[in-house]
Amino acid sequence: MLNSQLMITASAPGKVILFGEHAVVYGRPAIAVPVTCVQATATIEPGEPGIIIHALDTNRTIDYALADPSDPLAAIVRLTLAHFGIRQADLTIAIRSTIPIASGLGSGAAVSCAIIRALAKWAVGVIPCDRPGVITPDYPYIDDATVSSLAYEVEKLHHGTPSGIDNTVIAYNQPVYFIREQPIQTFSVARPFTVAIGNTGVASPTKIAVGDVRRNWEAAHDWYEVLFDQIGHIAEEARAAIESGQIDQLGPSMDRNQALLRAIDVSSIELERLIGAAKAAGASGAKLVGGGRGGNMIALVDESNQGAIVAALKNAGATKVIVTEIK
Ligand code: PMV
């Protein structure tokens, strides 16, 4: 039982990739934004002997001392404690998340970031001195870049060859224009816009879709490079449109991005059903988000068509629809 007097809590948002998934693994730009209405939360209560991790949504309890080192939850605890130079700790970590698992909304990276931030808050109470570089004015316990790079290590366990976009957008909690292995570029949204995010209800591990795309790329290298270039170009144009408030350009860009995602074979019947329903109800653009094959899709909505699009997504089988403003 957690004692609320001693509890330390930290949260991290979900995310959606607006443009550029998959091509981003091959060095092309992508745009991702946080989705703050869904969150992963880690709560720490000091005092238990050893470290016990409770993943409450999946009903899993992990005894850290006995855990498989490649278990993502044990790994993020190990990496974070090592970052603070802590060898031994007695605490219970409880994890809860409203972000659907394996569905393109970044649940793995969000859980990692929440655990890192909670452990960082706890660590300031137990490490004897300030460590240079750890304390920043914006976040007193750990900086965003460190949160992102620790979470990236665990993304490798989830994904195999992750681009790093999930950990980046979630750790910085800001819209990002992301190019692999380049310094992070955040950008501003000149005119807020709204998307409906529809869940197919089909869990789809990103690792499998990313692995299949890699095999296809190896087999048809030149063709896939052309497709990735086109996806990257759409992300570049979309950034300019978002920064200059030309929201009417985004719908057609989403449709073109989706056509290319179909061409690289990461769409699915369920995704196409939701995308078709959103378009038929008036969305000016719609596409899958994240790894694809299942998981979530997004549709651009406005005040006049939002209700009809949400209803159409539900009628077409969406298990959950989230409406969120991008700003
Ligand atoms: O499925 P998600 O939300 O983890 O997003 C994966 C995005 C990919 O571009 C397909 C992979 C990556 O590492 O960037």
Side-chain angles (χ1 to χ4, degrees):
M1 199 48 170
L2 292 178
N3 175 347
S4 60
Q5 299 269 295
L6 299 172
M7 276 179 355
I8 292 165
T9 294
S11 297
K15 68 102 220 311
V16 281
I17 300 179
L18 294 179
F19 297 96
E21 50 272 271
H22 285 290
V24 69
V25 176
Y26 300 83
R28 275 51 167 208
I31 293 176
V33 294
V35 178
T36 49
C37 58
V38 285
Q39 296 271 333
T41 303
T43 304
I44 292 180
E45 184 190 23
E48 291 288 317
I51 302 175
I52 302 293
I53 307 165
H54 294 297
L56 297 171
D57 303 300
T58 51
N59 235 341
R60 226 158 53 93
T61 294
I62 299 155
D63 183 339
Y64 175 73
L66 306 174
D68 178 344
S70 67
D71 179 284
L73 297 178
I76 200 62
V77 172
R78 185 180 65 247
L79 288 162
T80 310
L81 293 181
H83 170 75
F84 287 106
I86 295 169
R87 288 208 192 84
Q88 198 271 330
D90 295 323
L91 37 90
T92 301
I93 305 171
I95 300 147
R96 271 209 181 282
S97 176
T98 54
I99 308 169
I101 295 169
S103 62
L105 296 188
S107 74
V111 165
S112 293
C113 289
I115 294 175
I116 297 164
R117 292 207 189 278
L119 280 173
K121 283 188 188 179
W122 166 81
V124 284
V126 298
I127 49 178
C129 60
D130 286 352
R131 282 165 54 99
V134 172
I135 312 294
T136 73
D138 297 337
Y139 200 87
Y141 307 103
I142 194 165
D143 61 57
D144 295 340
T146 308
V147 173
S148 180
S149 72
L150 290 170
Y152 181 64
E153 292 307 308
V154 175
E155 287 297 282
K156 291 186 202 163
L157 298 174
H158 283 294
H159 287 193
T161 53
S163 61
I165 191 168
D166 282 19
N167 48 282
T168 303
V169 64
I170 290 169
Y172 284 83
N173 199 3
Q174 284 182 63
V176 298
Y177 181 78
F178 181 86
I179 303 175
R180 190 172 188 165
E181 284 159 20
Q182 287 196 15
I184 175 186
Q185 298 178 49
T186 54
F187 67 96
S188 48
V189 177
R191 256 182 60 206
F193 56 97
T194 305
V195 293
I197 306 172
N199 194 337
T200 60
V202 178
S204 172
T206 303
K207 197 172 185 167
I208 294 174
V210 169
D212 287 350
V213 171
R214 182 160 296 274
R215 268 184 294 283
N216 293 344
W217 172 72
E218 280 161 3
H221 178 274
D222 293 355
W223 174 231
Y224 268 63
E225 285 293 306
V226 169
L227 298 175
F228 291 154
D229 278 344
Q230 291 180 9
I231 293 174
H233 189 59
I234 291 171
E236 218 177 292
E237 284 178 350
R239 176 188 178 161
I242 294 170
E243 281 185 318
S244 60
Q246 290 168 293
I247 303 309
D248 53 331
Q249 290 184 14
L250 296 181
S253 296
M254 281 184 187
D255 289 346
R256 282 191 291 130
N257 196 159
Q258 175 60 20
L260 291 158
L261 288 163
R262 248 175 237 138
I264 63 168
D265 194 23
V266 292
S267 195
S268 71
I269 293 171
E270 293 83 1
L271 283 164
E272 292 299 333
R273 191 180 299 133
L274 297 191
I275 290 165
K279 294 281 298 174
S284 62
K287 64 179 275 292
L288 67 85
V289 291
R293 297 272 169 83
N296 282 277
M297 49 68 69
I298 49 169
L300 196 61
V301 304
D302 60 34
E303 269 172 24
S304 71
N305 59 26
Q306 178 176 317
I309 292 169
V310 170
L313 287 171
K314 288 184 177 159
N315 279 339
T319 53
K320 185 170 179 172
V321 181
I322 297 167
V323 175
T324 187
E325 191 180 49
I326 314 292
K327 52 189 177 193

